[in-house]
Amino acid sequence: MSDIGLPARRSAIYLLDQIMGESKLMAEVIGAGALDRLEPGDRARAQRLATETLRGMERADRILQKHLSKYPPLTVRNALRIGTYELCQGEAAHGVVNAMVGIISKHKRYGHLKGLVNAVLRKVADKGPEQWPALRTPRLPKWLRAPLVDAWGPQAVLAMEAVQFTGAPLDLTPKGDVNAVAAAVGGTVLPTGSVRLTDPGQVSSLPGFTAGDWWVQDAAAAIPARVLDAQPGEAVLDLCAAPGGKTMQLAAAGATVTAVDISAGRMERVSQNLVRTGLTVDTQVADAFELTGAYDAILLDAPCSATGTMRRHPDLPFAKDGSEFGALMDVQARMLDHALGLLKPGGRLVFCTCSLLPDEGEVQVEEALERHPGLSVDRAALDRPGIDQSWITEEGGLRLRPDMWADQGGMDGFYVACLRKS
């Protein structure tokens, strides 16, 4: 049997096993070296197979359940899921079936189930491709869907799920002239000033990458730094700075930027991007709670559930169950309090989280206003190009959701508020 496709498919199964069986995020598994031994093409294919199978998980499971009297072990089930996704996308049946049978047949514990894999995938190959598009758009797992419906209503969540299922385009933040970058890469200029590409290919081969003319950053993630509106010469603190998109925005504006993150590995990526873009920043690997000093402006992108990034990271709803989110909310409140202590009188602080949960956004700001007399929300800071008035919340922050700009590919979920210290 040919070996073509086996390394990528085997690795994709492993990624799903780690996400669904060990509650690990895909980035965590890949960062630990799961794909290091693969050729670049196989590495990309493994990641794509795992990602797209996660997006279509509900459809795959609905098709498979018709052919299973009971669920097999997770590894076998994940092989069936990936095989079902591939078959329903038009991959040659003999190649998919033979590959998955070959992978399971060599498994020390589950080799005896190769016959099941063969029989089920042959049935899927027969009817699956016509069944797949007729099934509903996959829903988020109940543990996450329920609070989102409570917060935003069922229609908004259905719209988010539709965007989630289609994936995400690539957004770039230009260092300089947005129109020049858009023309060079063949992208579209979004209302807020990001450049969007729907079929970018290899990022590092795009015009302007080596020269550092832009960096990859979701359009929603670029808004907090625009709201902070750093000025030349201002002393600006970027807390929880990695992966560094906001850091580069602040530096490109001419501010004197101190970027802090607790992770040395993540901060190394920030430093690499700063070298590529030719921007100068004081980078520090440190615990935010141990920082001292006084700053004109602070950007706090607090640790959060990351539920707003699911259109790019569909593994999150399957790797997590919400049990750790309460502890994150406590950290957010403590970090906001500490950051306010580093802010000069009259200074401004932008608090943001890439979360869709109000407890990590709107509620945090409401409670901070109660804890800190003299603190106020600067609504005027939201008067920026492309900001829709309907995005502004009751307490004066911005609520960004994946279903906004749905016809253009959506955006990440974010909460953003600018706070002023008297």
Side-chain angles (χ1 to χ4, degrees):
M1 186 180 66
S2 170
D3 231 21
I4 294 175
L6 282 182
R9 288 179 170 116
R10 189 181 294 114
S11 295
I13 294 168
Y14 177 76
L15 289 176
L16 291 192
D17 283 354
Q18 291 294 298
I19 291 163
M20 307 191 75
E22 303 297 329
S23 299
K24 293 180 179 177
L25 293 171
M26 191 182 302
E28 187 183 345
V29 183
I30 293 172
L35 307 182
D36 286 1
R37 294 184 180 181
L38 298 183
E39 295 294 322
D42 281 336
R43 195 178 307 144
R45 185 179 183 185
Q47 197 165 347
R48 178 184 63 79
L49 280 176
T51 298
E52 296 308 321
T53 301
L54 287 163
R55 286 194 203 285
M57 185 73 74
E58 182 186 292
R59 286 189 179 183
D61 282 351
R62 282 179 176 242
I63 290 171
L64 284 168
Q65 71 185 11
K66 299 172 184 175
H67 309 300
L68 294 168
S69 57
K70 64 177 182 178
Y71 289 131
L74 183 63
T75 298
V76 178
R77 193 175 177 189
N78 284 335
L80 291 171
R81 285 164 161 161
I82 291 170
T84 297
Y85 165 74
E86 288 197 276
L87 290 168
C88 292
Q89 300 307 305
E91 287 289 330
H94 68 275
V96 175
V97 176
N98 288 346
M100 291 307 177
V101 170
I103 290 169
I104 295 303
S105 69
K106 293 179 181 177
H107 197 286
K108 291 178 181 177
R109 293 180 63 188
Y110 307 132
H112 64 285
L113 293 174
K114 65 180 182 180
L116 172 75
V117 172
N118 181 59
V120 169
L121 289 182
R122 286 187 183 281
K123 290 175 183 174
V124 171
D126 184 36
K127 298 288 187 185
E130 64 188 58
Q131 294 171 338
W132 181 276
L135 292 168
R136 73 181 187 184
T137 298
R139 302 280 174 90
L140 291 167
K142 289 179 182 177
W143 73 263
L144 179 56
R145 194 174 203 275
L148 292 184
V149 168
D150 286 345
W152 314 119
Q155 293 309 308
V157 174
L158 284 171
M160 291 182 212
E161 288 166 334
V163 171
Q164 158 98 352
F165 185 48
T166 57
L170 183 78
D171 293 345
L172 309 178
T173 298
K175 185 171 71 174
D177 187 339
V178 61
N179 292 309
V181 169
V185 300
T188 302
V189 178
L190 294 172
T192 51
S194 294
V195 174
R196 176 158 289 181
L197 293 89
T198 53
D199 188 19
Q202 182 64 37
V203 171
S204 58
S205 64
L206 288 171
F209 175 83
T210 304
D213 294 341
W214 47 263
W215 50 90
V216 174
Q217 186 181 27
D218 188 83
I223 289 175
R226 295 193 170 113
V227 169
L228 189 67
D229 193 24
Q231 299 299 306
E234 279 190 320
V236 179
L237 175 63
D238 184 10
L239 278 174
C240 311
K246 301 176 187 68
T247 307
M248 290 182 282
Q249 286 179 278
L250 300 172
T256 302
V257 182
T258 302
V260 178
D261 200 277
I262 199 167
S263 166
R266 283 163 57 83
M267 190 54 91
E268 178 58 31
R269 280 187 57 203
V270 176
S271 298
Q272 290 169 1
N273 275 317
L274 288 169
V275 170
R276 181 174 65 82
T277 54
L279 295 168
T280 302
V281 168
D282 174 20
T283 58
Q284 298 181 17
V285 177
D287 184 336
F289 291 108
E290 295 177 3
L291 288 179
T292 57
Y295 296 88
D296 299 309
I298 297 175
L299 178 53
L300 170 57
D301 186 354
C304 72
S305 65
T307 45
T309 68
M310 291 183 295
R311 59 201 262 278
R312 297 185 189 281
H313 304 291
D315 50 315
L316 188 140
F318 296 99
K320 303 299 180 185
D321 62 5
S323 59
E324 64 204 56
F325 293 174
L328 280 171
M329 293 167 197
D330 290 341
V331 171
Q332 291 157 15
R334 289 174 49 227
M335 198 167 276
L336 182 49
D337 289 347
H338 184 70
L340 287 169
L342 302 175
L343 194 61
K344 292 178 181 176
R348 63 201 186 282
L349 181 150
V350 164
F351 171 80
C352 64
T353 53
C354 54
S355 171
L356 289 169
L357 302 171
D359 283 349
E360 298 186 280
E362 292 87 340
V363 174
Q364 286 288 8
V365 166
E366 288 169 354
E367 292 181 350
L369 292 171
E370 292 175 5
R371 291 195 304 272
H372 297 274
L375 188 67
S376 61
V377 178
D378 185 354
R379 291 171 180 264
L382 305 183
D383 186 17
R384 309 289 303 169
I387 298 295
D388 192 311
Q389 290 298 304
S390 68
W391 301 350
I392 300 176
T393 59
E394 186 179 343
E395 76 292 336
L398 273 185
R399 167 48 65 188
L400 308 176
R401 298 194 321 234
D403 56 313
M404 294 167 176
W405 293 349
D407 57 338
Q408 301 176 70
M411 64 171 74
D412 280 356
F414 254 89
Y415 177 79
V416 187
C418 185
L419 303 174
R420 285 273 182 183
K421 185 176 179 180
S422 62

